[in-house]
Each structure stands twice: as C-alpha cells, then as structure tokens.
Amino acid sequence: MKIILACFLHLDELPPMMTILKIISKKYDVLYIGVDNWSDSYKKLFGEKVTFINLLKQNVSNTDRLIDKIRNKIYWKTYHHYLRKCSSIIERNYTEGDLIWIHHEYSLMHMRKLDLPYYLTMYELHKDLFKDRCLLKERIKKAEKVIVPEYTRAAIVQACVGLDNLPAVIPNKPYDYEEKLTRLTNNPIDGMVERAHDEGKKIIIYSGIFLRERKLEPFIESIRKLKDKYIMVLIGRKSKYLEELVNRYPEVQYLGFYDPPAHLSVIEKADVGILTYVADCGSINPVFCAPNKIWEYAKYGIPMLCNDIPGLKYTVEYNRFGYCCNINSIDSICNALERIFDEYVQLSRNAKDYYAAVDMEDIVLELVGGNS
C-alpha cells in the first residue's frame, strides 16, 4: 500500500500535516500532491519515501506594483486550473489498496469530484458547515474517515454534516524532530534571552499567524505596563497587521519567520507563550480552536497565557499549565501573568506531562493501519 496525500495549502503553513507526513513516511511510500513543495529542505526532512508532485511551482509577490498584481491574477487562475486537475492525477497514480488522504477542507472543496474512497482531515470549522446545503457537506459525507484535531470539533462536524460516526481525532502535536533539523545556526533569540535574564526580565512569545482576530494589542499593552519584568517577542509570517503592531509598539521584538520545524528552536527559549483566539468575527472557529502552539509550547514546558474561550480553558487551564484571562482587561492579563510566575515550576511540569501523554505515531499509524 502507498499513501496518496493531497493538499493545496503550502506545507509550511500546516505543521500538523508535516507531522503526519513524517510519521507515515517511516512505514509507507507516500505520493504528496501539493504546491511549492520542491525545496531541498523537504527532501532532507522527509527522505526518499516521499515523492512530491508540485501542481504549481512559482511564488507570487505581495507588493502593490501593477506587474505583481498581474502576476498574482495569473497565479491564482493557474492555481485553480491545477486544483481541478488534481482528481485526475490521483486517479492515474492510484492502485487498488492504496490510501487517498485529502488534507484540509479547502482542498476538497476546490477539487473536481473524486470517485475513489478517501480520508479527509479537516483543519478548520469552515463556515459552509453551517449552511443547509453545500458541496462541502456532501463531500465530507463521502469520506471513509473524517479526521479533526480536537474532540469538540469532532462533535460539531458530526452534528452539522449528519455523520453516522464521530470523526477521529489526531491532535496537532508536532513530530519530535531530531535536534539538527530544528537548530538555527544564528538563532536571533539567543542574545536577547541572555540580555533579558541578566536584567532580570522574562521572554513572553507569540508564535503564529498575525490576523486581527488574534487581537494582540491587549497583551502587548499589559507587557508594556510591566516592562521592567517582561519582553514581548513575535515570530511568524509578515502581514499588514504585524506591520501595524511593530510600528505602534517599537519595544516589541519581531524576530522573523522560520520554516517549520526550525521555528521550534526560537520557541524553546521563551518563558511564557501567548495563545489568543478572539470570537468577535461571526465564526465559532476561534471558540473551539485546536492550536498546534499548545503542543509547541508544552513540548518545552512553557506555561501559557490565553484569552478565555472553551478551546483554551478546557485544555490549558483545565490541565493546569497556564491561565486564561479577560482580554478586555489589562489588570486581568497582568494578574494572570504574575500568577503564572508564582506557580511556574508546577505549570511547566504539567505542560511537559500533557505533551508526553500523547503518542502521535500510535494514533496516526493505527488510523492508517485500519485501511490495510
């Protein structure tokens, strides 16, 4: 059996999918159909058992020049053309007994109809799930197995789609990569940590995407209020929102974007990790979040400071490796941060225990083995 895995998001945008790819490639030959996955670093990371088919190989610029706008339009037109062809590529490479595994509901929505059995991993609670009739629901129902990253999401998907069985859960825990794969030659946080600790300060980090729904301003304002104790560090891909934050708060340290899993070598040096998902945009997706950041912070015993939503309260706070706070109150954020450092040793130990309790290889290979 080989596994045909298809996804139309960039691989470095989905570290949990990289984990699954790493695990299944230890036992199975994998054909990966995606976009922009041609770098030598991926060959080094996944080895010879993974063969990449790149539907689209060029990147687009995000500048405002007219030529870049034209390139962008051509890119997306070409991109959607290739998405529609993906089903044909899968069918040509499929042999009876193979496992087809589609990652991300976005991929499934934009593919031509696939007449072969497939697994589907859903990474978001897509808004179309809550419409009475939509193509996405039909295609989810046809999947042999539906997989989500968190139990509550499984229940929501089952109810919205009308599935007979509860979707399987594969947590967003990262693969335990060898240190040489995560190490940065010139880690920008090293000198900062040394200087901060010499001054008696702690490093508070936010790692992830920069969208307005993350609402980082209250955390930054709180840390600014306690600036003799803490330094705020940001890592992740650039965006307009990030640019606004850095311009507004010059004391915030933005260290750049690092391809997974190299970003872990920056995260591991921090003292506290921030998680924030604000549900004021008409979507329940943030409310029942299942962030891979929980696992990335927990791996290194980093306690967490979060806003108060079910997806964080019943993981981080319930398991006592961090605290939730009222994001609309600077005092609440400051008090939660101080409480973390009052109980730091125990919270750190609890985070490591939470991380160690989940065996990703057992979960993933058991799910795949059921197809053999």
Side-chain angles (χ1 to χ4, degrees), residues 187-203 227-233 251-255 269 271:
N187 194 331
I189 203 170
D190 285 341
M192 181 182 296
V193 169
E194 190 176 336
R195 289 191 301 273
H197 289 180
D198 284 346
E199 295 170 6
K201 296 180 181 180
K202 303 294 186 183
I203 302 290
K227 61 184 178 183
D228 358 342
K229 295 183 177 182
Y230 309 116
I231 295 173
M232 180 80 171
V233 170
E251 67 273 22
V252 168
Q253 303 290 318
Y254 172 62
L255 300 185
K269 303 295 179 69
D271 296 295

Side-chain angles (χ1 to χ4, degrees), residues 2 74 87 116 136 142 147 199 209-210 218 233 280 291 318 344 355:
K2 73 174 178 293
I74 293 170
S87 298
L116 292 167
L136 179 60
K142 289 180 179 177
I147 300 124
E199 295 170 6
I209 59 174
F210 293 96
V233 170
D280 60 1
Y318 180 81
Y344 195 91
Y355 183 89

Side-chain angles (χ1 to χ4, degrees), residues 183-191 255 258 265-266:
R183 192 188 307 122
L184 287 172
T185 307
N186 296 304
N187 194 331
I189 203 170
D190 285 341
L255 300 185
Y258 304 92
S265 65
V266 180

